[in-house]
Amino acid sequence: AIRTPGYKYCFNPAGPDELYNLKADPAEMRNLIDAPDSIRVQRELEGRLLAHLQAVNDDLIADKLRAHLEATKWRQTSGLPADRGPKR
């Protein structure tokens, strides 16, 4: 997971990712991972998390996140919906 003053992004290799607007939803009750208007924030935090995992040599999770990002990118460019796991 990675958090900024405004958002928290959680990568979950075994299920749906999570994205919360901490200012509007401090109790983290509304997962924004499927909200179209949060894609920019999600992509930024995914990149920051991947950079952090690489910096601390967490290769196992970094590889899983990289594969997830590649699969999501392929789905977006092919016009298919992104597969983010089961909905909660």
Side-chain angles (χ1 to χ4, degrees), residues 25-52:
D25 179 21
E28 300 177 14
M29 301 298 291
R30 184 168 180 258
N31 186 357
L32 300 174
I33 204 68
D34 290 322
D37 58 339
S38 66
I39 292 294
R40 182 189 57 79
V41 171
Q42 179 185 343
R43 295 293 176 249
E44 176 187 336
L45 294 178
E46 287 169 340
R48 289 174 67 176
L49 179 58
L50 182 57
H52 170 74

Side-chain angles (χ1 to χ4, degrees), residues 21-80:
N21 180 330
L22 298 175
K23 291 182 180 178
D25 179 21
E28 300 177 14
M29 301 298 291
R30 184 168 180 258
N31 186 357
L32 300 174
I33 204 68
D34 290 322
D37 58 339
S38 66
I39 292 294
R40 182 189 57 79
V41 171
Q42 179 185 343
R43 295 293 176 249
E44 176 187 336
L45 294 178
E46 287 169 340
R48 289 174 67 176
L49 179 58
L50 182 57
H52 170 74
L53 292 170
Q54 291 170 331
V56 298
N57 296 319
D58 191 338
D59 296 330
L60 179 64
I61 301 299
D63 288 346
K64 289 182 180 188
L65 177 55
R66 192 176 302 107
H68 169 73
L69 296 177
E70 285 299 316
T72 302
K73 179 180 173 184
W74 177 84
R75 284 187 191 92
Q76 289 172 343
T77 59
S78 68
L80 296 173

